[in-house]
Amino acid sequence: MGIGELALFMLYAFLCQLSFSSSLRHLCRKDQARALLQFKKTFTINSDASGCSQSYGKTLSWNRSADCCSWDGVYCGETTGHVIELDLSCSQIQGKFHSNNSLFRLSNLKRLDLSFNDFSGSRISPKFGGLSNLTHLDLWGSSFTGQIPPEISYLSKLNVLRIWSEDPYTLTFGPNHFELILKNLTQLRELELYDVNISSTIPQNFSSYLTTIQLLNGQLCGTLPERIFHLPNLKLLELSYNSQLTVSLPMTKWNCSTSLMNLYLSSVKFNGKIPESMSYLTSLHDLDMSSGNLSGPILKPLWNLTNIENLSLENNNLEGTIYPFFKFGKLRGLRLWGNNFTGSIPSNVSGLQNLQSLYLSSNNLNGSIPSWIFSLPSLSWLYLSDNHFSGKIPEFKSQSLIVVTLKQNQLEGPIPKSLLNQQNLGFLLLSQNNFSGQISSTICNLKTLIVLDLGSNKLNGTIPQCLGEITEHVLVLDLSNNRLSGTINTTFSIGNQLSVIKLHGNKLEGKVPRSLINCKYLELLDLGDNELNDTFPKWLGTLPNLKLLSLRSNKLHGPIKASKNKKLFAQLQIMDLSSNGFSGNLPASLFENFQAMKIIDENVRDPWYVGDQYGIFYDSVMTITTKGLDLEFARVLTTNIIINLSRNRFEGYIPSIIGDLAALRTLNLSHNRLEGCIPASLHQLSVLESLDLSFNRIGGGIPQQLAFLTSLEVLNLSHNHLVGCIPKGKQFDTFEKSSYQGNDGLRGFPLSKDCGGDDGVPQAITPVELDEEEEEDSPMISWQAVLMGYGCGFVSVLSIIYIMLSTQTPAWFSRMVDEWEYKIVTRMQKHKKRY
């Protein structure tokens, strides 16, 4: 046989073998196909079951007409036909994963990826430990719950183990199970456990082949073994958010110095300072040592990290200057906020063309902001708030800005036009500076805006009319404490997403805009401290989510009329109508609608704040009068239930229905023209902290039941016509004379006049001295005081008798008592007219 013929023969044999092998590759075993089809029938396909940006139902294409080795996500051995790999990640699978699942019959599986599906709170079956050939097991984000079985430790060939619990700590390890798994999985290369409750120390014995260790938010405790830093192939170490884990960085050169690229140690307990040994981490790209209570100046070891791209040292106690950080030419992200850095940002910086995010907020930096920052072409996130920067802001070169927060500085000048022409800007916060000029209508070009905070500056002119047209995405609109004037002519569009509107502290006039009725998601509306001239906008009560309403210090006027709509202001928690010209009776029917004020939520463990979902960017600063003081709250607790109707012209009696507002913490009705008696029903306000009824014309005695208000810290009943004995005991033993001054008929502690008889029952009625306005209208003033003392004193006696018969006072009884009070006061008023 010639050489040519031999070559042709060998080529023919090779092609035959190739064809034979190719045909074998697609001969799926019947038992494997049956197991897969049975697996398919076990679950349903739901497009919402996968948390992936791109997902599809891979099992939908599985059917008997095609070889199972060609099915989507299925891979077989080339010669055996066994299924050796199953990739069902992002496959929209939903349903319970039981221990008898047919998947466990695929005993030759080497790689199994079930990530990003919804197994509806199923337990991780111990039978996973029977798949002894597995080298890769991925259960990431698939809604498994319960205890991770120790049988996972049987998978001695495992190279990769990935488990993530979407709801933190719904997956746990049993006692010593974590140590058992690390000890037995000696071939492990990648270990990723996110939000899994490990509640253990990290043992000394673990695979020396590990390249990736991610144990984020795992309740780890004890001291991190130094051996981890000496794993020769370690590339990524993430142990963040394990607040009970103590980390001591090695003093000597780390064995992983040349391989380690990513080191994340946020929110752990560092023991000691940053050692010189870190200077050898020349391959490091990402370093996060935030929230670790690090202190002192930044040490030189970090200056050698010339390949660093993302550096996070925020929320520590570091100090000194920041100029060395800008020598890292490859920086893409620098996070230094929440430290004690001082000095200025260096002005002669170049070469940071890749910088995308700069976080320097909440330090003590000063000087002007250097021009090179505004020239960065790729800048997207700029955080410079809460410093001492001054000067004007030049125009931005970057067109990719997403977040710009410069609040709480001393910046001045007009708002740069380049900021108002950004295509992707979502958060613009310039408040608490000295910016001046008018708000340009070009601000309406910001179509992606979510939070706009221009409050507490020196902006003037009118509010751009088009501003209401960009509210498709806007959640927060804050133009408060400026010098804006004119009417609020902005038309808020239908379907807007606004949750917070703050326009207080300007010179706005005219009426409350009716287009606010379109703000169905509005939680906070503050139009206070303006010059609005309107009647009470009762129609605002139809907004289903309104929690805080402040119309204080305007020129609003007229009575607050009753309404038949029982759903008005159902969610309201704070109503401040103080310092206006409202008149007529207090709105009893409106109080009856305040459903959110009637319920004390005892299940609230952690504080919640109104608008808290934007807290990372924005604080809803609001002035609230409570406990006798005007206080400025950066964030308003949802448990802060307040009614402030002070400094108006309300008259008549205090409605007993207020006693039904059990969650009320502050009630201020001072500086009005209220008459009658203090309703006994107020004793039902068990969490009331501040009660101010001063500067009215309220008569009678102080109901003895108010002594049971054990949360009451501030009481002001001064300058009324009260008589009789001050209640004794509990909170009333803590109040000073100023709480009662201007009530000459009162007796008892802390006043100098002794009560002299049975507590709570006035022994003698003395004429009450009224103000000049009343004195002119009432020549028989001494008789009026006698009648008021008799009427309210009689009611107090009835109330005391009832308390002796029952430990709980039903609301209907309190209302009945108050109705008697009202009838007596009405008769007194008729008596007054006779004279």
Side-chain angles (χ1 to χ4, degrees):
M1 180 181 293
I3 296 176
E5 292 176 325
L6 180 61
L8 287 173
F9 177 80
M10 292 178 65
L11 178 62
Y12 175 79
F14 173 76
L15 291 174
C16 288
Q17 184 178 3
L18 184 64
S19 176
F20 181 73
S21 299
S22 177
S23 63
L24 283 179
R25 190 178 297 122
H26 296 289
L27 292 178
C28 172
R29 296 172 61 95
K30 291 183 179 179
D31 61 320
Q32 309 275 285
R34 282 195 298 270
L36 290 171
L37 290 173
Q38 189 174 342
F39 175 85
K40 173 184 177 180
K41 291 179 181 179
T42 307
F43 302 100
T44 58
I45 299 298
N46 185 343
S47 58
D48 296 326
S50 293
C52 308
S53 57
Q54 294 181 342
S55 65
Y56 65 98
K58 294 180 182 179
T59 60
L60 289 175
S61 62
W62 293 4
N63 60 73
R64 296 181 184 276
S65 62
D67 186 281
C68 79
C69 295
S70 65
W71 292 352
D72 202 351
V74 180
Y75 303 88
C76 298
E78 293 184 357
T79 58
T80 63
H82 289 130
V83 176
I84 59 171
E85 182 176 342
L86 194 57
D87 181 4
L88 296 178
S89 60
C90 301
S91 294
Q92 303 181 355
I93 297 172
Q94 188 173 53
K96 287 287 185 179
F97 199 112
H98 298 290
S99 288
N100 61 351
N101 194 282
S102 59
L103 188 69
F104 297 121
R105 299 207 299 265
L106 303 176
S107 58
N108 295 97
L109 272 177
K110 293 182 179 179
R111 299 173 63 91
L112 176 59
D113 191 343
L114 299 175
S115 61
F116 294 111
N117 289 290
D118 181 9
F119 294 117
S120 307
S122 302
R123 305 275 175 166
I124 298 177
S125 173
K127 289 191 176 181
F128 278 103
L131 300 174
S132 58
N133 291 302
L134 275 182
T135 61
H136 182 116
L137 177 59
D138 194 338
L139 305 180
W140 193 268
S142 290
S143 300
F144 284 106
T145 60
Q147 197 171 102
I148 296 174
E151 285 80 2
I152 296 293
S153 65
Y154 299 165
L155 303 175
S156 58
K157 298 179 182 178
L158 205 61
N159 295 157
V160 177
L161 177 61
R162 302 180 73 240
I163 301 175
W164 169 46
S165 174
E166 301 100 315
D167 295 324
Y169 310 139
T170 54
L171 278 171
T172 64
F173 279 99
N176 303 317
H177 289 175
F178 178 66
E179 294 94 323
L180 180 66
I181 286 175
L182 281 190
K183 179 181 177 181
N184 289 352
L185 302 184
T186 56
Q187 302 299 311
L188 205 57
R189 266 88 170 155
E190 299 179 22
L191 175 63
E192 300 178 29
L193 303 175
Y194 270 36
D195 294 328
V196 175
N197 188 355
I198 300 173
S199 293
S200 168
T201 59
I202 297 179
Q204 293 287 342
N205 295 322
F206 45 80
S207 170
S208 58
Y209 299 105
L210 279 164
T211 61
T212 298
I213 302 175
Q214 293 182 277
L215 304 176
L216 182 115
N217 195 26
Q219 300 282 342
L220 292 169
C221 56
T223 301
L224 180 68
E226 187 174 313
R227 178 173 174 245
I228 283 185
F229 297 104
H230 296 299
L231 291 170
N233 301 308
L234 189 63
K235 296 180 180 179
L236 189 157
L237 176 61
E238 181 169 17
L239 301 173
S240 297
Y241 307 113
N242 288 288
S243 58
Q244 300 304 311
L245 179 66
T246 299
V247 177
S248 297
L249 300 174
M251 302 302 292
T252 58
K253 186 177 180 179
W254 308 6
N255 286 353
C256 63
S257 294
T258 57
S259 62
L260 191 62
M261 300 177 67
N262 302 284
L263 179 59
Y264 305 106
L265 298 174
S266 174
S267 301
V268 300
K269 293 193 294 186
F270 282 105
N271 186 11
K273 296 182 178 180
I274 299 174
E276 292 284 344
S277 59
M278 285 199 70
S279 62
Y280 296 104
L281 303 179
T282 53
S283 298
L284 205 60
H285 289 175
D286 289 8
L287 174 61
D288 185 354
M289 300 175 69
S290 59
S291 303
N293 202 30
L294 294 171
S295 60
I298 294 295
L299 299 180
K300 291 182 179 179
L302 293 184
W303 305 150
N304 291 340
L305 307 182
T306 54
N307 288 310
I308 203 77
E309 295 180 5
N310 292 289
L311 179 60
S312 299
L313 298 172
E314 70 265 24
N315 199 26
N316 282 294
N317 295 307
L318 299 169
E319 56 190 41
T321 60
I322 62 172
Y323 73 90
F325 291 109
F326 298 102
K327 296 180 179 180
F328 299 139
K330 297 182 180 180
L331 266 181
R332 291 188 293 114
L334 178 62
R335 297 170 176 258
L336 302 178
W337 61 265
N339 282 286
N340 298 312
F341 291 118
T342 55
S344 59
I345 302 175
S347 58
N348 56 343
V349 173
S350 61
L352 291 180
Q353 298 303 299
N354 295 322
L355 193 64
Q356 298 175 4
S357 60
L358 180 60
Y359 293 69
L360 302 179
S361 295
S362 301
N363 280 287
N364 292 305
L365 301 172
N366 55 32
S368 60
I369 302 174
S371 58
W372 65 264
I373 290 180
F374 303 98
S375 300
L376 294 171
S378 303
L379 188 65
S380 296
W381 293 274
L382 179 62
Y383 291 76
L384 301 179
S385 61
D386 192 15
N387 279 289
H388 306 288
F389 294 122
S390 57
K392 296 183 179 181
I393 300 296
E395 300 295 336
F396 284 84
K397 181 178 180 180
S398 173
Q399 291 296 313
S400 58
L401 291 170
I402 297 174
V403 176
V404 174
T405 171
L406 306 176
K407 64 181 184 178
Q408 288 179 267
N409 284 288
Q410 290 96 46
L411 300 169
E412 57 187 31
I415 298 173
K417 293 180 180 179
S418 56
L419 269 179
L420 308 182
N421 285 299
Q422 296 288 328
Q423 298 300 311
N424 301 305
L425 190 63
F427 299 85
L428 178 59
L429 295 94
L430 306 179
S431 60
Q432 300 179 64
N433 280 288
N434 296 310
F435 288 113
S436 56
Q438 298 189 1
I439 302 174
S440 172
S441 60
T442 56
I443 199 169
C444 301
N445 295 332
L446 301 177
K447 302 299 183 182
T448 58
L449 205 59
I450 297 174
V451 173
L452 175 62
D453 180 10
L454 305 180
S456 299
N457 280 289
K458 297 178 180 178
L459 300 171
N460 55 29
T462 59
I463 299 174
Q465 186 173 358
C466 62
L467 204 55
E469 300 172 5
I470 65 167
T471 53
E472 180 181 355
H473 303 290
V474 178
L475 301 177
V476 175
L477 174 62
D478 189 343
L479 306 179
S480 62
N481 293 318
N482 278 286
R483 300 171 181 176
L484 301 172
S485 57
T487 60
I488 307 175
N489 59 357
T490 298
T491 301
F492 297 98
S493 58
I494 296 175
N496 72 74
Q497 303 292 312
L498 279 164
S499 177
V500 174
I501 297 178
K502 296 179 63 181
L503 304 178
H504 69 270
N506 284 288
K507 299 178 182 179
L508 300 171
E509 55 191 28
K511 295 189 175 183
V512 178
R514 288 294 300 237
S515 62
L516 285 170
I517 200 72
N518 297 326
C519 303
K520 300 301 182 183
Y521 299 98
L522 196 62
E523 294 183 21
L524 187 157
L525 176 62
D526 191 349
L527 304 179
D529 298 287
N530 279 290
E531 298 174 8
L532 298 174
N533 192 335
D534 201 353
T535 56
F536 179 67
K538 186 168 55 180
W539 44 270
L540 285 174
T542 61
L543 297 177
N545 297 294
L546 190 62
K547 294 180 175 65
L548 279 73
L549 174 64
S550 177
L551 302 175
R552 59 183 289 153
S553 300
N554 277 285
K555 298 178 180 179
L556 303 176
H557 55 83
I560 300 178
K561 298 178 181 179
S563 174
K564 294 181 180 179
N565 188 345
K566 300 297 182 183
K567 296 182 179 180
L568 292 180
F569 299 107
Q571 298 301 316
L572 201 65
Q573 296 172 198
I574 294 180
M575 172 182 269
D576 190 348
L577 307 181
S578 61
S579 301
N580 279 286
F582 291 116
S583 58
N585 293 328
L586 291 174
S589 62
L590 212 56
F591 295 151
E592 195 169 357
N593 294 342
F594 293 168
Q595 300 301 320
M597 297 190 185
K598 296 179 180 180
I599 302 171
I600 301 175
D601 192 350
E602 297 177 350
N603 296 321
V604 176
R605 296 181 180 178
D606 299 317
W608 285 86
Y609 300 90
V610 176
D612 200 37
Q613 57 267 48
Y614 331 115
I616 188 172
F617 298 106
Y618 175 79
D619 292 326
S620 299
V621 179
M622 189 172 185
T623 300
I624 296 176
T625 302
T626 181
K627 301 180 182 179
L629 300 171
D630 284 345
L631 301 177
E632 193 173 77
F633 287 84
R635 304 167 77 192
V636 182
L637 277 167
T638 55
T639 55
N640 219 344
I641 311 297
I642 296 173
I643 294 178
N644 187 358
L645 304 180
S646 63
R647 299 184 184 278
N648 280 285
R649 300 172 188 170
F650 289 114
E651 56 191 26
Y653 70 103
I654 300 173
S656 61
I657 192 69
I658 291 181
D660 288 352
L661 307 180
L664 203 61
R665 294 183 183 270
T666 296
L667 176 61
N668 190 347
L669 304 177
S670 65
H671 294 86
N672 280 288
R673 301 173 181 177
L674 300 174
E675 300 175 329
C677 307
I678 299 174
S681 62
L682 295 187
H683 87 277
Q684 297 167 192
L685 305 179
S686 60
V687 295
L688 191 68
E689 298 173 1
S690 177
L691 175 62
D692 191 347
L693 304 178
S694 62
F695 290 94
N696 280 289
R697 304 170 183 176
I698 301 169
I702 303 173
Q704 293 293 308
Q705 301 97 313
L706 298 190
F708 293 98
L709 297 177
T710 56
S711 297
L712 197 62
E713 298 177 18
V714 174
L715 175 68
N716 192 351
L717 303 178
S718 63
H719 300 286
N720 278 289
H721 304 157
L722 297 169
V723 296
C725 289
I726 297 172
K728 286 185 177 182
K730 298 182 180 178
Q731 301 302 104
F732 274 82
D733 290 344
T734 66
F735 301 134
E736 299 180 356
K737 292 180 181 180
S738 58
S739 296
Y740 310 105
Q741 66 184 11
N743 292 283
D744 291 344
L746 281 179
R747 299 170 178 271
F749 181 83
L751 303 179
S752 57
K753 296 178 182 179
D754 187 26
C755 210
D758 293 334
D759 291 346
V761 182
Q763 301 301 306
I765 304 300
T766 57
V768 180
E769 192 174 314
L770 300 184
D771 56 35
E772 295 177 4
E773 180 180 326
E774 290 183 77
E775 201 169 330
E776 293 175 0
D777 297 337
S778 184
M780 299 300 292
I781 190 64
S782 61
W783 283 106
Q784 182 186 16
V786 171
L787 286 169
M788 289 178 70
Y790 170 76
C792 295
F794 175 67
V795 172
S796 296
V797 171
L798 288 177
S799 302
I800 293 169
I801 293 172
Y802 184 78
I803 288 178
M804 292 172 62
L805 297 175
S806 172
T807 56
Q808 294 182 346
T809 307
W812 65 266
F813 183 82
S814 296
R815 294 197 191 99
M816 183 176 67
V817 169
D818 292 324
E819 287 174 6
W820 291 344
E821 293 176 2
Y822 177 64
K823 290 178 181 178
I824 292 170
V825 173
T826 303
R827 290 179 183 175
M828 291 192 306
Q829 291 173 341
K830 291 180 179 178
H831 178 80
K832 176 180 177 180
K833 291 178 182 178
R834 295 177 186 175
Y835 298 93

